[in-house]
Amino acid sequence: MVVTIMDVAKEANVSKSTVSLVMNNSDSVKLETRIKVLDAIQKLGYVPNMAARELTTKVKNILGLVFLTDNATNRSYQFDSVTETLLYDTFNGISSGMKQTDFGLLSERFSALEPNQELPSLLKNNRVDGVFIVGGLFDDAFIQRVQQRKIAAVLVGRNYPGIDWVAPDVLDAMYKGTKYLLETGHQDIVFLLGPQTSPVAHKKLEGICKALDEAGLPLRPDAFKYCDYSGSSGYNSMKELWTSGIGMDAVFAASDGIAMGAMRFLYDQKVRIPDDISIVGYEQSVITEHAVPALTTIDINKERMGEEALRILLNRISRPKAKPVQLMIAPSLVIRDTVKKRR
């Protein structure tokens, strides 16, 4: 026999509305009454009907996570795909915090830059109370469509005006990485940036120029390439720089995936890392420890971004008219085996 909310109310000798208040964590119920209701729920083994609850409260108790990728049909482990380490690590931060809530989580991979794309199905079908948008591969039109849905949303990994976001300080990250290479005696650094259309790539270039300016060095116009966040793009961009004949003693890549591609090309040329050329990545992910040699990289603290994104999204759901929360996370340098001290 199915236990109903009326059975719980009868067992606890309270009204049905009081049981509902307890299940919705209302502060208006006395502690003594709350304990009686919770004891009755446990004794009877009552499981709330979430579908009925949604009809009465308009709350689904489900959050959505949309990971923005360059191609939603490609597998993330393919060499020509974006490695989804950003998704994996931010998800760990989100899910650890969600254990303390009543929310569930649905996820979807989505390409916001492909022609004729509108919105992820999680948003089109009104399946969630709020959504994490992970990654920076979107344009203005995509964010405008999200905002038109009037749904709580937080960007994870990129900032944008007028909406909640948590993102790394990319300028400081690239500044730290470039400065470290300069301090270890490198003078001829080449840079593999992200897509030229991405505002993040240009912010990264600002950080590079800041460190070079402090050292009294110019940014050589032929010493950087824009490329996609994939291993194959890193490989091909490294090949272009190599065959151009430009001098180089270090490579700074705008993602760990790009760095892996550059390292593969250098391996094919029988170039020794770090003896011949040093390399630094950006992100900090599982692939950095597994690389040979282990990759020195910039840690953008993705798990913390996930934790903060959950806090921000829950705040937006409970306070829909609050001012946008915009949180920048400081990066840190992780020194491993791919940089040689040259002085």
Side-chain angles (χ1 to χ4, degrees), residues 8 12 22-23 33-43:
V8 175
V22 171
M23 291 193 301
T33 304
R34 181 185 299 275
I35 293 172
K36 285 171 56 179
V37 171
L38 293 175
D39 286 345
I41 289 172
Q42 183 175 12
K43 177 181 177 181

Side-chain angles (χ1 to χ4, degrees), residues 70-71 74-83 229-232:
D70 61 339
N71 190 324
N74 282 0
R75 300 297 184 184
S76 63
Y77 51 76
Q78 292 175 329
F79 193 51
D80 60 352
S81 298
V82 176
T83 55
Y229 293 114
S230 67
S232 61

Side-chain angles (χ1 to χ4, degrees), residues 15 34-35 71 76 79 86 98 121 132 149 156 173 178 183 196 250 265 279 291-292 299 301 335:
S15 66
R34 181 185 299 275
I35 293 172
N71 190 324
S76 63
F79 193 51
L86 175 63
M98 286 186 65
S121 61
F132 305 97
R149 300 296 296 187
V156 186
T178 305
E183 289 175 342
Q196 188 169 5
F265 174 80
I279 187 164
V292 180
D299 186 354
N301 296 306
I335 299 174

Side-chain angles (χ1 to χ4, degrees), residues 70-280:
D70 61 339
N71 190 324
T73 61
N74 282 0
R75 300 297 184 184
S76 63
Y77 51 76
Q78 292 175 329
F79 193 51
D80 60 352
S81 298
V82 176
T83 55
E84 296 184 358
T85 48
L86 175 63
L87 169 63
Y88 177 80
D89 292 326
T90 52
F91 171 79
N92 283 342
I94 291 168
S95 61
S96 64
M98 286 186 65
K99 294 175 184 177
Q100 312 303 319
T101 75
D102 294 326
F103 284 91
L105 185 70
L106 297 175
S107 63
E108 180 178 351
R109 296 170 73 246
F110 184 79
S111 179
L113 299 179
E114 290 184 4
N116 303 318
Q117 289 284 13
E118 294 184 2
L119 282 172
S121 61
L122 289 177
L123 300 184
K124 285 196 297 186
N125 299 329
N126 296 318
R127 298 168 64 187
V128 296
D129 299 308
V131 62
F132 305 97
I133 300 173
V134 181
L137 298 176
F138 61 80
D139 55 17
D140 294 344
F142 173 75
I143 295 299
Q144 290 167 7
R145 289 194 294 269
V146 171
Q147 293 176 315
Q148 288 170 359
R149 300 296 296 187
K150 303 295 184 183
I151 188 169
V154 57
L155 301 181
V156 186
R158 177 177 162 185
N159 56 15
Y160 194 90
I163 190 171
D164 292 330
W165 56 260
V166 54
D169 188 339
V170 295
L171 189 154
D172 188 49
M174 301 305 282
Y175 170 79
K176 280 186 167 73
T178 305
K179 186 175 181 180
Y180 174 65
L181 286 171
L182 293 170
E183 289 175 342
T184 49
H186 299 84
Q187 295 287 310
D188 299 318
I189 309 169
V190 297
F191 303 94
L192 301 178
L193 301 173
Q196 188 169 5
T197 56
S198 170
V200 175
H202 298 288
K203 185 63 68 173
K204 288 177 179 177
L205 192 56
E206 284 186 46
I208 291 167
C209 290
K210 179 182 176 183
L212 291 175
D213 288 344
E214 287 183 2
L217 295 173
L219 175 66
R220 296 177 292 169
D222 52 352
F224 64 94
K225 287 281 184 185
Y226 292 103
C227 58
D228 295 334
Y229 293 114
S230 67
S232 61
S233 188
Y235 184 101
N236 292 329
S237 295
M238 188 72 243
K239 182 178 180 180
E240 290 178 27
L241 287 169
W242 184 264
T243 55
S244 73
I246 185 174
M248 64 180 77
D249 55 18
V251 180
F252 191 3
S255 79
D256 291 339
I258 293 173
M260 293 296 102
M263 290 176 72
R264 182 184 291 193
F265 174 80
L266 293 173
Y267 174 83
D268 288 346
Q269 309 311 306
K270 297 182 171 48
V271 174
R272 296 173 302 171
I273 300 172
D275 294 336
D276 299 325
I277 293 179
S278 296
I279 187 164
V280 173

Side-chain angles (χ1 to χ4, degrees), residues 13-69:
N13 195 27
V14 298
S15 66
K16 175 183 173 181
S17 61
T18 299
V19 177
S20 295
L21 288 172
V22 171
M23 291 193 301
N24 286 293
N25 297 314
S26 172
D27 295 331
S28 63
V29 181
K30 294 180 180 179
L31 179 60
E32 180 183 356
T33 304
R34 181 185 299 275
I35 293 172
K36 285 171 56 179
V37 171
L38 293 175
D39 286 345
I41 289 172
Q42 183 175 12
K43 177 181 177 181
L44 298 176
Y46 173 63
V47 178
N49 184 328
M50 299 306 293
R53 183 177 179 181
E54 179 184 341
L55 288 174
T56 57
T57 66
K58 305 300 182 183
V59 176
K60 304 170 182 65
N61 272 56
I62 297 176
L63 302 178
L65 187 154
V66 174
F67 180 71
L68 300 178
T69 181

